[in-house]
Amino acid sequence: MNVYSSRPQPFGYYPLSYGANYEAFNRGKQQPLTFVLVHGSWADVSFWDGVAAELRNQGHNVYVPEYPGHGSDPNKNVTHQEIDDAVAKYIITRNLQQIVLVGHSFGGSVVQKVAEQVPERLKRIVFIDGFVVADGESLGDQFPPSSQQYFKQLVEASGNHTLMLPYPVFRDTFMNLADAELVRATYSKITPEPAGPLFEKLDLKKFFALNTPKSYIYLTEDNVLPQGEGYGWHPHMSSRLGVFRLIKDHGDHMTTFKTDPRRVAQRLYEAARD
């Protein structure tokens, strides 16, 4: 058990507003960093297009790996292990070093497992409204029982062990701050999510033993998880990291990445810099 996990406000929390720092992002030269950005469910590498472009414009090296069951891969019968191995292999074959490994949403559980494979290559691990799964649990376990049952019903109805959120659910949880046009355009491009990895129990003992510095970016209008009631991104899930750097900002689960990628890029830089 992490000795800091029960502390409501451990040292290492660094909440920031985005006023002066955001303007400095547009004016000043930044410490060059190497980012590996891992997307989440109902997404592919294009999710990061705007944010990656902003980071590159500031002089950073940015890599965006795709993983099995997503993007152009039609095979949805994949495991969490296969996803983790693919991202780790991407890092190793490119001999990336001093990495800022970033996980969004489901990508949070991916970077947890990838970090176990390549700890010596990491500078910092950053979660941006990313799942921090407890040892022995699955990503699905992070939702209330009613949501878990709903997901299982959707999977059973799919006929091919995939999970596709109905439009009204996607609209009000993933993109609650967006206008209808942007939500419809985004929803039209997503494909069903492989269900297997969402329900796999993960052995994360190695992850929670790592001394790698960690950060958590919390977008405060993200409605994918219930706010409070023993669930949610912060502080419920973020506190599992022990000592970590906390960055807060306005935003929801997907909209802000599309409508204000420069601000998201700035949050990532604040979370990752020395």
Side-chain angles (χ1 to χ4, degrees):
M1 179 177 179
N2 193 303
V3 295
Y4 295 102
S5 61
S6 63
R7 294 186 181 181
Q9 287 289 317
F11 69 91
Y13 279 45
Y14 301 104
L16 296 172
S17 62
Y18 62 79
N21 288 329
Y22 184 40
E23 292 303 318
F25 178 74
N26 298 320
R27 297 194 306 268
K29 182 174 177 60
Q30 298 187 3
Q31 171 194 359
L33 299 169
T34 297
F35 289 90
V36 174
L37 309 178
V38 181
H39 68 76
S41 300
W42 297 288
D44 57 25
V45 291
S46 66
F47 174 80
W48 290 110
D49 283 355
V51 175
E54 294 291 344
L55 289 170
R56 290 182 180 120
N57 286 342
Q58 291 294 330
H60 303 296
N61 295 313
V62 184
Y63 298 86
V64 189
E66 190 58 277
Y67 50 75
H70 297 76
S72 61
D73 184 5
N75 177 27
K76 301 294 184 178
N77 185 26
V78 299
T79 66
H80 207 293
Q81 178 81 52
E82 289 173 328
I83 291 172
D84 309 332
D85 289 349
V87 176
K89 181 179 179 181
Y90 179 99
I91 290 169
I92 293 168
T93 56
R94 288 162 177 78
N95 195 27
L96 303 182
Q97 305 286 343
Q98 286 293 291
I99 298 164
V100 178
L101 182 61
V102 179
H104 172 252
S105 192
F106 169 73
S109 68
V110 176
V111 303
Q112 284 182 278
K113 294 301 295 180
V114 171
E116 294 181 341
Q117 296 193 43
V118 295
E120 74 285 351
R121 296 175 181 268
L122 303 181
K123 177 181 178 64
R124 183 174 285 269
I125 306 168
V126 178
F127 298 81
I128 178 165
D129 281 7
F131 286 91
V132 183
V133 179
D135 178 44
E137 294 187 354
S138 71
L139 187 143
D141 291 334
Q142 313 314 304
F143 290 87
S146 58
S147 297
Q148 295 182 43
Q149 184 60 35
Y150 177 61
F151 292 156
K152 290 176 181 177
Q153 291 172 353
L154 292 176
V155 172
E156 290 174 3
S158 73
N160 61 357
H161 203 57
T162 62
L163 180 58
M164 185 66 177
L165 292 180
Y167 175 83
V169 177
F170 180 84
R171 196 271 179 272
D172 286 345
T173 57
F174 276 63
M175 301 188 71
N176 41 298
L177 296 181
D179 60 44
E181 182 179 0
L182 178 58
V183 182
R184 284 193 293 266
T186 303
Y187 189 78
S188 69
K189 296 177 181 178
I190 67 175
T191 59
E193 185 71 14
L198 303 180
F199 299 105
E200 290 180 33
K201 304 292 186 180
L202 302 178
D203 182 339
L204 289 158
K205 295 179 182 64
K206 290 183 180 179
F207 172 78
F208 287 109
L210 293 176
N211 293 320
T212 310
K214 302 171 185 70
S215 299
Y216 203 97
I217 303 174
Y218 173 43
L219 302 178
T220 56
E221 284 74 43
D222 189 330
N223 199 34
V224 166
L225 289 173
Q227 301 273 0
E229 301 178 4
Y231 298 96
W233 305 112
H234 173 74
H236 172 70
M237 208 166 297
S238 62
S239 65
R240 293 172 177 169
L241 297 175
V243 177
F244 68 97
R245 183 183 303 173
L246 174 65
I247 309 292
K248 288 185 181 181
D249 205 345
H250 167 76
D252 71 8
H253 201 64
M254 282 189 170
T255 306
T256 315
F257 294 81
K258 296 176 179 295
T259 60
D260 201 350
R262 181 174 295 179
R263 185 152 55 90
V264 175
Q266 170 63 2
R267 295 298 142 268
L268 287 173
Y269 178 69
E270 290 171 354
R273 66 187 174 186
D274 290 338

